[in-house]
Amino acid sequence: MRLGVLDIGSNTVHLLLVDAYPGARPVPFASHKRPLSLVAYLDEHGAITQAGQDELLDFVHEAAQFAINHHAEDLLAFCTSAIRESANGEAVLARVVAETGVKLTELTGEQEAGMTYYAVRRWFGWSSDSLLNLDMGGGSFELALGQDEFPTVAHSVPLGAGRLTRDWLEADPPSIKDVKALRHHVREVLAEPVAELRQFGKPTMVTGTSKTFRSLARITGAAPSAEGPYVKRVLRAESLKLWTNRLTAMNWEERSELPGVSAIRAPQLLAGAIVALEAMNAMKVKSLRICPWALREGLMLRRFDHVLFDSTAPLSSSVGVGEVALGQSSVLSMSQGSNVL
């Protein structure tokens, strides 16, 4: 079957179409995305402005038509912290449904962490044993640890690279004072979740997911994306510490010239490096593996699991009994006659 996953993130909006069947590896078929930083469209009350909503609706219209044109049979559409934490998130979601026919499922931070961990577990398999995954978004930072398909414990904290850049590092380049203040803030926010995670002992494998972690690994010497997803990529705390200091002295334009760093993500790379380094230090992690699969792949794999077992239950997604009921877009239901989750 051809499955589409529409991901409304904090930095980009992305539709990925894959071909797969239950039990098989999903193979990417086509992709449609654009840079869209919804946090840049927040007003003084934390609400997404009319201009931001119009940009979002325009893309969702495009994505729905793209999915139909390429004969997608099923569509999962979800959003994360950018809409979840906006003051008018519910109204925005209602407008998207009314004007596009696409229902965006709002994932909680814990559900994000759980489904990302699930994808990482599937990628590395049971040989990874006890697994700790760190995931960096634009609005939030997730930590999840466990030994099974879903984590034993998961946390989502407001330490996304885009959010911290906007709130703490507006100057280009930032002042040393602002960088120190951000480091202190990150340590304070991480203290409680890290204390709980450390109670479970040292994990067998530590992994990192997201574009920010991939970019940090790339600038510290990891293989470029052109070499494919199966190349082993490692991010070492020692190298990250060195590059965090270098990034502090760079302006946004200089960062955008680094390998693997796009212009839209260059401003927030320093904030991402600070969070990654502080988290690794707090968890006493010397190095982590970069995983090419993350939230989108976790949702895809879970969808195929439910096709395999012909389940009508909602998706068990995270810690404990948390559920995500990811409904299929009505635009495909009307046009393709597809099954609804």
Side-chain angles (χ1 to χ4, degrees):
M1 66 181 294
R2 180 159 298 159
L3 172 66
V5 178
L6 177 59
D7 175 1
I8 307 300
S10 297
N11 293 306
T12 59
V13 283
H14 187 183
L15 172 67
L16 177 64
L17 302 181
V18 299
D19 286 335
Y21 57 88
R25 177 185 61 185
V27 178
F29 170 77
S31 175
H32 180 59
K33 63 181 177 180
R34 75 163 68 157
L36 176 58
S37 179
L38 286 175
V39 294
Y41 287 96
L42 297 179
D43 62 21
E44 64 272 18
H45 304 295
I48 300 174
T49 64
Q50 183 70 34
Q53 293 180 46
D54 291 345
E55 286 282 341
L56 174 61
L57 286 163
D58 183 57
F59 178 80
V60 174
H61 274 296
E62 285 183 10
Q65 191 58 52
F66 186 90
I68 291 170
N69 291 345
H70 289 84
H71 309 294
E73 301 170 58
D74 201 357
L75 179 67
L76 306 179
F78 69 94
C79 59
T80 54
S81 63
I83 294 180
R84 181 176 68 228
E85 298 175 6
S86 63
N88 60 341
E90 290 188 10
V92 172
L93 294 178
R95 187 181 173 199
V96 171
V97 173
E99 298 189 24
T100 70
V102 175
K103 181 179 180 181
L104 296 175
T105 296
E106 188 176 5
L107 301 183
T108 68
E110 183 182 273
Q111 289 166 341
E112 277 191 67
M115 291 308 296
T116 303
Y117 172 99
Y118 175 73
V120 175
R121 170 65 73 191
R122 285 292 185 94
W123 180 268
F124 287 109
W126 293 113
S127 63
S128 54
D129 195 15
S130 177
L131 176 66
L132 169 65
N133 186 63
L134 309 177
D135 182 63
M136 179 86 64
S140 60
F141 179 66
E142 280 74 43
L143 309 90
L145 182 145
Q147 291 184 306
D148 300 322
E149 280 210 317
F150 292 105
T152 304
V153 59
H155 289 280
S156 178
V157 291
L159 295 178
R163 175 198 298 271
L164 296 181
T165 301
R166 184 180 71 252
D167 295 344
W168 295 82
L169 303 177
E170 286 187 312
D172 178 27
S175 68
I176 298 300
K177 179 181 177 181
D178 288 344
V179 171
K180 288 183 177 179
L182 176 56
R183 287 182 186 274
H184 180 73
H185 171 70
V186 171
R187 288 170 189 162
E188 284 190 332
V189 174
L190 287 176
E192 185 175 340
V194 165
E196 181 179 1
L197 289 167
R198 290 186 63 180
Q199 292 177 12
F200 292 87
K202 185 177 180 180
T204 307
M205 175 178 282
V206 182
T207 55
T209 48
S210 75
K211 177 61 176 177
T212 297
F213 269 109
R214 294 197 301 272
S215 295
L216 292 172
R218 179 72 183 97
I219 66 173
T220 59
S225 59
E227 293 191 17
Y230 302 108
V231 175
K232 181 179 179 180
R233 294 176 174 86
V234 177
L235 176 61
R236 295 179 173 80
E238 184 178 2
S239 299
L240 180 58
K241 180 180 179 180
L242 173 64
W243 271 96
T244 301
N245 292 332
R246 291 177 178 174
L247 291 170
T248 301
M250 292 181 175
N251 60 36
W252 297 351
E253 183 178 354
E254 290 170 331
R255 293 178 205 166
S256 68
E257 295 173 356
L258 295 172
V261 181
S262 64
I264 191 173
R265 293 181 183 271
Q268 62 190 51
L269 190 62
L270 173 58
I274 290 172
V275 174
L277 182 59
E278 293 297 336
M280 292 176 74
N281 287 342
M283 293 297 297
K284 300 187 182 303
V285 172
K286 293 184 178 179
S287 65
L288 58 78
R289 289 280 302 274
I290 301 299
C291 180
W293 278 3
L295 179 58
R296 277 191 300 271
E297 287 77 14
L299 292 170
M300 289 178 192
L301 293 166
R302 195 61 176 150
R303 171 61 177 136
F304 287 126
D305 284 350
H306 277 254
V307 172
L308 175 65
F309 295 110
D310 195 27
S311 172
T312 58
L315 305 187
S316 176
S317 62
S318 186
V319 181
V321 294
E323 301 288 343
V324 181
L326 276 171
Q328 182 199 26
S329 163
S330 61
V331 68
L332 287 188
S333 180
M334 291 184 294
S335 303
Q336 304 285 97
S338 308
N339 296 323
V340 177
L341 288 178

